[in-house]
Amino acid sequence: QQKVQQSPESLIVPEGGMASLNCTSSDRNVDYFWWYRQHSGKSPKMLMSIFSNGEKEEGRFTVHLNKASLHTSLHIRDSQPSDSALYLCAASTAGGNYKPTFGKGTSLVVHP
Amino acid sequence: DTTVKQNPRYKLARVGKPVNLICSQTMNHDTMYWYQKKPNQAPKLLLFYYDKILNREADTFEKFQSSRPNNSFCSLYIGSAGLEYSAMYLCASSRQNTGQLYFGEGSKLTVL
């Protein structure tokens, strides 16, 4: 079964700073990556997805994907206290049923 | 409306007793998933329905059952709860061709 490893486990950044989160899959068949954000007491919600090599930017959030190394990273610039949450990375293979496999997550705290 | 609802939100069960958790979605999604989440662990996929077809993960095949009497509704059934079943159970739904999961807020099961 594929494993999804996330690092760091926890991260503290000052308000206005840059947060960088990492995710790697051990399954060479993985094609798709998603980043989900889960605020305390709430359900996970998809933040960004990336399926092709390269970079994708949405507002303060940028996600990178290197398919050769099966590594994706999420960067949050100008971090806000409201960004404090658990960030989950998920990966799945293409074709047939999607069966997203999740990592343990990175707990981000943005302090004012 | 992108709501996935789960009931009950909290469930206390005795060892050896059955547990039934319920999930519903109104987005007409063809796929519904059940994940088990324990503290400091990644969400673990237990099973999913694509339309009326049930797919159970190999290592949880005999421990969990499920039914999907219609497109909107999916249940997770534990025939005889053990202490190791204490966890948060997350239901999610998606359209097969997008892979993006929409999560409910979870059912927290405590087995005593």
Side-chain angles (χ1 to χ4, degrees):
Chain A
Q1 187 177 12
Q2 69 153 308
K3 291 255 196 288
V4 174
Q5 300 289 341
Q6 291 188 245
S7 64
E9 286 190 13
S10 62
L11 182 62
I12 301 174
V13 299
E15 184 174 357
M18 172 75 85
S20 295
L21 292 67
N22 298 292
C23 173
T24 304
S25 171
S26 62
D27 184 349
R28 297 226 60 85
N29 297 313
V30 159
D31 292 283
Y32 304 135
F33 288 89
W34 291 267
W35 287 93
Y36 287 79
R37 181 166 69 179
Q38 184 176 20
H39 287 108
S40 181
K42 300 294 185 183
S43 59
K45 287 188 169 42
M46 196 200 74
L47 192 60
M48 293 186 75
S49 61
I50 189 160
F51 304 155
S52 305
N53 268 329
E55 176 182 300
K56 185 175 172 181
E57 182 177 333
E58 292 180 4
R60 297 184 293 110
F61 300 87
T62 303
V63 63
H64 295 265
L65 176 60
N66 181 327
K67 279 200 161 184
S69 60
L70 297 174
H71 177 263
T72 179
S73 57
L74 174 68
H75 305 272
I76 307 171
R77 62 175 171 83
D78 189 23
S79 296
Q80 301 297 308
S82 58
D83 294 327
S84 298
L86 180 69
Y87 288 79
L88 294 164
C89 174
S92 78
T93 57
N97 295 314
Y98 287 96
K99 290 173 50 175
T101 299
F102 284 83
K104 289 171 64 172
T106 293
S107 177
L108 172 65
V109 173
V110 180
H111 66 82
Chain B
D1 183 12
T2 56
T3 302
V4 177
K5 293 191 187 300
Q6 292 188 239
N7 284 294
R9 292 291 308 281
Y10 302 92
K11 174 70 179 177
L12 191 62
R14 296 290 180 190
V15 170
K17 295 299 186 184
V19 174
N20 196 42
L21 305 177
I22 294 167
C23 178
S24 64
Q25 52 91 11
T26 56
M27 296 171 280
N28 200 31
H29 284 169
D30 47 29
T31 308
M32 294 184 76
Y33 305 82
W34 282 100
Y35 284 85
Q36 180 190 63
K37 174 80 169 69
K38 294 184 176 182
N40 298 316
Q41 294 185 23
K44 177 182 169 60
L45 180 64
L46 300 176
L47 54 87
F48 67 96
Y49 265 99
Y50 170 59
D51 196 13
K52 291 180 170 49
I53 301 169
L54 174 62
N55 297 268
R56 287 188 282 182
E57 293 297 281
D59 57 346
T60 56
F61 190 85
E62 294 179 349
K63 296 182 179 180
F64 299 93
Q65 296 176 39
S66 183
S67 67
R68 192 178 186 187
N70 56 58
N71 177 270
S72 303
F73 178 95
C74 187
S75 66
L76 182 70
Y77 181 76
I78 300 166
S80 176
L83 295 175
E84 70 277 16
Y85 287 86
S86 291
M88 178 71 81
Y89 289 85
L90 294 167
C91 175
S93 69
S94 75
R95 285 197 192 282
Q96 172 68 357
N97 62 350
T98 68
Q100 177 183 343
L101 269 57
Y102 294 82
F103 283 92
E105 295 203 336
S107 292
K108 186 174 182 181
L109 172 64
T110 302
V111 182
L112 302 174

